[in-house]
Amino acid sequence: RAMCSGRLQTALLGAGYFVYLLVGAAVFQALERTAEKQEKRAAAQMKEAFLQNFTQLTVAEMEQFMQNLIEAIQNGVYPVGNESQYEESNWDFSNSFFFAGTVVSTIGYGTLHPKTAGGQIFCVFFALFGIPLNIVFLHRVGKMLSLLCKKLGKFLYEKGMRKKKIKFLTLLFFLATGILVFLCLPSVFFQITEGWSYSEGIYFAFITLSTIGFGDYVVGKQSDRKYFSYYRVLVAIWILFGLAWIALLFNL
């Protein structure tokens, strides 16, 4: 009965956690998408004006253009390609869910961030409650995985193995399995999807799961590549379970 109760609590916590991320993604999308469209329209007009008059620009006007271009890129607007690319939003649901996940996990790449006053205020409260919820969720998942470790240890003990050796082999097993599942295999996936080298995929995976999050490599940001729908949602889920694996290692 206690075991069933624990599983039910874990299931409810997991469901509540994902609902929290889904609601957060929907709110961020609603608050930021319109402002982003205006920024993209302004960037397109700036680019058009530059292409029409670039031979007549003064040094001061050129400097102003460069400053506006830098600000646009910092805000996630890349004025390259044709007009159809401006219709693709950084705040579609997939990107918004990915952003919500990076907020509660405290990774914070910095390449996508709310720019409206409403989005920034909401982000404060979303993180205020989301970060503790994320810690509780990871602790619970880590605890559930620890039970698997105990079952594995009990099985090995019944086979006549010593406790110290069991502890070492259990840690080694989950360490090796986690490295394979959360670092090695995803890096192949990133290599294919993003066009990175395998070493860059490993680097991105480690920097992400360690929550360092430099932001020099971020998935789904290359304008010349086509990504499948909900690609960043899958990456966000990988991040969450990867963090749970790290929580398990701390428990062990």
Side-chain angles (χ1 to χ4, degrees):
R1 187 177 298 176
M3 187 177 292
C4 290
S5 177
R7 287 177 180 174
L8 179 62
Q9 287 177 2
T10 302
L12 289 175
L13 177 62
Y17 181 66
F18 279 99
V19 167
Y20 188 82
L21 292 179
L22 290 171
V23 171
V27 173
F28 280 121
Q29 184 181 18
L31 292 173
E32 296 295 325
R33 201 164 191 175
T34 302
E36 184 199 35
K37 283 183 179 179
Q38 295 173 350
E39 282 187 5
K40 288 194 171 186
R41 198 175 297 119
Q45 292 170 352
M46 177 188 70
K47 177 184 175 182
E48 186 179 350
F50 172 77
L51 293 175
Q52 290 175 353
N53 305 304
F54 73 94
T55 57
Q56 303 170 2
L57 292 178
T58 64
V59 174
E61 289 172 333
M62 191 65 184
E63 290 287 342
Q64 184 61 48
F65 170 77
M66 294 298 293
Q67 185 177 346
N68 292 340
L69 181 63
I70 291 169
E71 288 178 2
I73 292 171
Q74 287 175 340
N75 289 329
V77 177
Y78 301 90
V80 294
N82 53 36
E83 291 184 6
S84 64
Q85 287 180 303
Y86 294 124
E87 298 301 318
E88 297 176 4
S89 176
N90 289 322
W91 289 100
D92 59 17
F93 187 78
S94 180
N95 284 331
S96 299
F97 186 89
F98 181 78
F99 173 75
T102 59
V103 168
V104 298
S105 61
T106 70
I107 294 172
Y109 292 113
T111 54
L112 186 64
H113 52 273
K115 292 171 279 293
T116 65
Q120 290 170 350
I121 294 298
F122 176 74
C123 187
V124 170
F125 287 99
F126 181 76
L128 191 65
F129 294 100
I131 291 172
L133 177 60
N134 180 65
I135 293 170
V136 171
F137 173 74
L138 293 181
H139 176 72
R140 173 67 70 166
V141 173
K143 202 171 180 181
M144 292 294 290
L145 292 174
S146 295
L147 293 177
L148 292 177
C149 295
K150 287 181 179 179
K151 288 182 180 179
L152 177 61
K154 187 177 179 182
F155 172 78
L156 294 175
Y157 185 73
E158 288 173 353
K159 294 293 182 181
M161 195 175 290
R162 289 190 219 167
K163 286 188 177 181
K164 284 187 178 180
K165 193 173 182 180
I166 290 172
K167 287 181 179 180
F168 174 75
L169 289 177
T170 302
L171 178 60
L172 185 64
F173 172 75
F174 280 96
L175 180 63
T177 304
I179 288 173
L180 177 66
V181 172
F182 294 108
L183 291 178
C184 297
L185 293 180
S187 298
V188 176
F189 176 70
F190 296 135
Q191 184 181 15
I192 296 168
T193 309
E194 298 288 343
W196 297 337
S197 66
Y198 187 72
S199 61
E200 287 173 325
I202 287 281
Y203 169 77
F204 167 76
F206 177 79
I207 292 299
T208 295
L209 296 184
S210 61
T211 70
I212 296 172
F214 288 128
D216 49 350
Y217 288 86
V218 182
V219 294
K221 298 298 290 183
Q222 300 184 63
S223 58
D224 60 336
R225 300 188 76 89
K226 289 289 182 182
Y227 300 101
F228 60 87
S229 299
Y230 301 106
Y231 165 54
R232 297 188 98 191
V233 171
L234 290 177
V235 175
I237 293 171
W238 161 74
I239 290 172
L240 297 175
F241 281 97
L243 293 175
W245 165 62
I246 291 174
L248 168 66
L249 293 182
F250 279 119
N251 282 342
L252 290 177

